[in-house]
Amino acid sequence: MGVVLRAVRGEPRVFAVSVGGASLVALLTVGGAFLVGKVIAGVAVPAMERGKVDAGVLAAAAAALVGLSLLKVAGIYCRRLGSMYMQLRLQASYRRRIIRRYLSLPPAWHRRNATGELLSTASSDVDAAWTPAGSVGYAMATVVLLVSALVALFLTDWALALVGVVLFPTLFGVFEAFSRRSAPRYRRSQQLRGEVSALAHESFDGAMVVKAMGREEFQTARFAVKVNELRDVLISVGRMRGICDPVVESLPTAGMLAVLVVGGWRLRSGAIDVGDLVSAAFLFAMLGAPVRAIGWLLTSLPRAVAGWDRMSAVLDATGEMTYGTGVSVAGRAAAELRFDQVTFAHDGDRPVLREVSFTVPAGATVALVGPTGSGKSSVVSLAARLIDPDLGTVRLDGADLRSLRAAALADAIGLVPQLSFVFDDTVRANVTLGRTGIDDAQVWAALRVAQAEEFVRRLADGLDTVLGERGVLLSGGQRQRLTLARAVAGRPRLLVLDDATSAVDPAVESAILAALRDGGATGSVLIVAHRPATIAAADLVVFLVDGRVAATGSHAELLATEPAYASLVTATQRAEVFS
């Protein structure tokens, strides 16, 4: 019941409206049953005996019934409005919390969790966790109804009350048995929903690979295995509900029949009158819908618990980065970046960086060069503080990056990742990303530095052109230039480029680097470089081999003194010639 208590604590006012309306309906249901009994005994029976209807009495009875119905309408309105409002508010609130947590967790955590699983948690698991909120008020009011009904039956006749004493615990016993047996199945179904979502997302993202390799049937078969497993689990739950629901539906009817049998015996003995019998029978007849409300709650709880457990795994996830309270030094435009004996390993594996030390001087352009797997991307992630070192420090103008506020880091460091990402929005929105103080003039200036101005002006709506999902309207090189403009628009004091111009031709890349050196980025530049022309344009080259700094110096110096460096650059140059 922990999920129910969290729902109540999360939306106490809305819950009060829901349970208040539902309780009003419950009490009116009990009162209405006895009012009907009084009307039958005091109006209908005398009218049949005399063969004449007293119009005044009939009108009073009708007015009482209509008034009771109107009050019930008001109660039902509050119950339904409060219940749905409570459920939807909780789902929206926790979706926001889940997304905030996703964005706060470091890349290392995201690498361990499939995107499809994360999507499933933010959608299916959140829905499942708070589905009971839609019936919790009604279910609690039903308890009020059952207790009130039992008290009313005892006040009417002990024999009729015994029917309720037997029936009500039987109902709860059926619900408890179903809940206990279905809980593991619901947990498994939520897990499988995540796996199905992960496979679907993988299939969509890899659609071009699948089609190019002719593996449609193979990928479909992989998907079908999980879908069929999910189907079987849900069918097993459906079978259990197929047994539980008819039993629950039949018990109030059985109770009404029992009341008629027992009531008939008590009526003949003179212990009760016709009105009492009608009231008791009518009361049991009205129990069907409220009892189903408890059934909805108890049968949805196992799935809710499974959804909550999966949500909690995200909300309680470790690895969240903590930030300090410092701000970056703003005394000069360009920032100095210093790596001091930095060692880093992914999740405790063999270190990918070992005692790395180098400096990006303020205002300088430093090229990071090395063979595949040498640790260049890890250096970039550390420089932008997407990850933290296991040992050593990364400093910006002498301040440890871990001591700075998140906003200070975002303002000071602009990262252009290896894989460019474009949002399904306009060019303007993709460049500004909602940052204040970036007007259209600055957007065009950033596009000019990134050599993207020309192709943006050719787009149908210019800055207002919607680029489609992942920038489907743009080529790979255009997407790279747009993401570079996004970073430049913020005028960072340190610009970090992770092979961010690999999809553009050498002439465009040279123009971009020239614009950056002329002040387009306003700060220092750390660039992962492969092309000899790009490397030669840097003020300093840091040569990485197997996670260590093998050498630093100018391009010419390293060509003359480092055979491994010369071999790597020469091989790259030959590849460009023959490409």
Side-chain angles (χ1 to χ4, degrees):
M1 297 295 289
V3 174
V4 173
L5 293 176
R6 290 187 189 94
V8 174
R9 288 198 299 266
E11 295 291 340
R13 294 181 181 178
V14 180
F15 172 74
V17 172
S18 173
V19 77
S23 297
L24 176 63
V25 174
L27 295 175
L28 290 175
T29 298
V30 175
F34 284 89
L35 178 60
V36 169
K38 295 298 183 183
V39 170
I40 295 296
V43 178
V45 172
M48 286 187 293
E49 290 175 347
R50 294 194 305 264
K52 180 182 178 180
V53 177
D54 187 328
V57 174
L58 181 61
L65 290 172
V66 169
L68 188 75
S69 298
L70 291 176
L71 286 174
K72 286 185 71 174
V73 167
I76 291 170
Y77 176 80
C78 291
R79 181 193 77 203
R80 292 297 299 271
L81 182 66
S83 295
M84 293 309 299
Y85 201 65
M86 181 177 179
Q87 178 182 340
L88 297 176
R89 278 176 64 94
L90 284 167
Q91 289 173 344
S93 173
Y94 272 80
R95 280 199 177 91
R96 290 192 295 267
R97 289 182 61 180
I98 289 287
I99 296 303
R100 282 197 299 269
R101 181 53 60 121
Y102 285 164
L103 296 176
S104 68
L105 288 165
W109 184 87
H110 284 273
R111 282 194 294 269
R112 295 192 300 268
N113 293 273
T115 303
E117 289 273 2
L118 304 185
L119 290 172
S120 179
T121 297
S123 57
S124 175
D125 291 331
V126 172
D127 282 343
W130 299 121
T131 294
S135 57
V136 63
Y138 194 9
M140 289 185 175
T142 299
V143 175
V144 174
L145 171 62
L146 296 179
V147 172
S148 302
L150 199 57
V151 171
L153 287 172
F154 269 111
L155 292 176
T156 302
D157 183 66
W158 64 268
L160 296 177
L162 287 179
V163 177
V165 169
V166 173
L167 174 66
F168 300 156
T170 302
L171 281 168
F172 284 103
V174 172
F175 291 139
E176 196 279 333
F178 172 80
S179 179
R180 185 178 64 253
R181 291 178 63 85
S182 63
R185 292 174 172 83
Y186 275 119
R187 282 195 294 270
R188 180 57 179 158
S189 72
Q190 289 302 111
Q191 179 185 351
L192 285 169
R193 287 176 197 273
E195 293 177 9
V196 167
S197 180
L199 271 173
H201 184 271
E202 184 181 64
S203 297
F204 301 152
D205 266 6
M208 295 299 293
V209 175
V210 172
K211 294 189 73 65
M213 300 296 293
R215 304 304 294 160
E216 294 92 342
E217 291 185 5
F218 171 76
Q219 194 67 11
T220 301
R222 285 184 65 207
F223 189 72
V225 169
K226 288 299 179 184
V227 170
N228 290 342
E229 191 175 351
L230 175 60
R231 175 203 62 196
D232 293 342
V233 170
L234 293 177
I235 287 175
S236 71
V237 173
R239 289 198 189 101
M240 293 184 63
R241 293 203 64 165
I243 297 172
C244 176
D245 288 352
V247 173
V248 171
E249 290 282 346
S250 63
L251 283 175
T253 303
M256 184 179 64
L257 293 175
V259 163
L260 291 174
V261 172
V262 174
W265 164 61
R266 298 293 286 169
L267 182 63
R268 284 196 303 271
S269 67
I272 60 173
D273 59 23
V274 172
D276 294 332
L277 177 58
V278 171
S279 295
F282 187 76
L283 184 60
F284 274 87
M286 296 294 291
L287 287 179
V291 164
R292 282 195 295 273
I294 296 182
W296 294 332
L297 175 64
L298 294 182
T299 55
S300 65
L301 280 178
R303 186 177 174 220
V305 171
W308 175 259
D309 288 343
R310 287 168 57 83
M311 282 170 45
S312 297
V314 173
L315 295 174
D316 299 334
T318 58
E320 182 176 4
M321 284 183 147
T322 58
Y323 293 89
T325 57
V327 295
S328 59
V329 178
R332 59 180 184 271
E336 178 189 83
L337 179 72
R338 181 184 296 274
F339 274 62
D340 186 8
Q341 296 293 303
V342 170
T343 297
F344 173 75
H346 292 291
D347 300 326
D349 293 339
R350 185 175 67 88
V352 294
L353 296 176
R354 300 177 181 82
E355 300 178 346
V356 170
S357 296
F358 68 90
T359 300
V360 178
T365 297
V366 174
L368 197 61
V369 181
T372 301
S374 59
K376 301 186 294 297
S377 290
S378 295
V379 168
V380 165
S381 295
L382 287 162
R385 215 205 156 194
L386 298 180
I387 55 178
D388 285 329
D390 298 323
L391 298 172
T393 55
V394 182
R395 300 182 183 276
L396 187 73
D397 288 334
D400 190 329
L401 293 186
R402 289 170 289 200
S403 71
L404 300 178
R405 292 185 303 165
L409 280 170
D411 288 341
I413 302 173
L415 171 66
V416 185
Q418 192 172 23
L419 297 176
S420 54
F421 187 88
V422 176
F423 294 92
D424 186 6
D425 210 331
T426 63
V427 174
R428 180 186 293 103
N430 267 282
V431 174
T432 63
L433 284 188
R435 292 171 289 183
T436 58
I438 302 178
D439 57 21
D440 281 3
Q442 289 171 277
V443 171
W444 283 116
L447 291 170
R448 199 172 301 118
V449 170
Q451 303 301 300
E453 179 184 19
E454 184 180 345
F455 80 75
V456 170
R457 290 194 183 279
R458 289 200 305 266
L459 295 174
D461 297 313
L463 293 181
D464 295 313
T465 303
V466 177
L467 300 176
E469 186 178 7
R470 295 179 180 267
V472 67
L473 296 182
L474 304 179
S475 68
Q478 288 172 334
R479 286 195 294 270
Q480 281 194 335
R481 282 179 275 172
L482 191 64
T483 53
L484 175 59
R486 177 189 299 158
V488 170
R491 302 188 68 81
R493 299 174 54 235
L494 171 68
L495 185 62
V496 182
L497 308 178
D498 185 9
D499 200 17
T501 55
S502 59
V504 301
D505 60 65
V508 173
E509 183 181 43
S510 296
I512 291 172
L513 294 175
L516 292 175
R517 289 180 66 87
D518 290 341
T522 74
S524 313
V525 179
L526 175 63
I527 179 171
V528 173
H530 296 284
R531 290 170 175 165
T534 306
I535 300 169
D539 300 305
L540 180 71
V541 178
V542 177
F543 182 43
L544 281 179
V545 177
D546 196 24
R548 297 181 184 273
V549 176
T552 59
S554 70
H555 175 57
E557 289 171 348
L558 295 185
L559 279 178
T561 60
E562 293 292 328
Y565 176 83
S567 176
L568 177 66
V569 173
T570 303
T572 304
Q573 192 168 20
R574 285 198 300 268
E576 283 187 350
V577 171
F578 290 104
S579 62

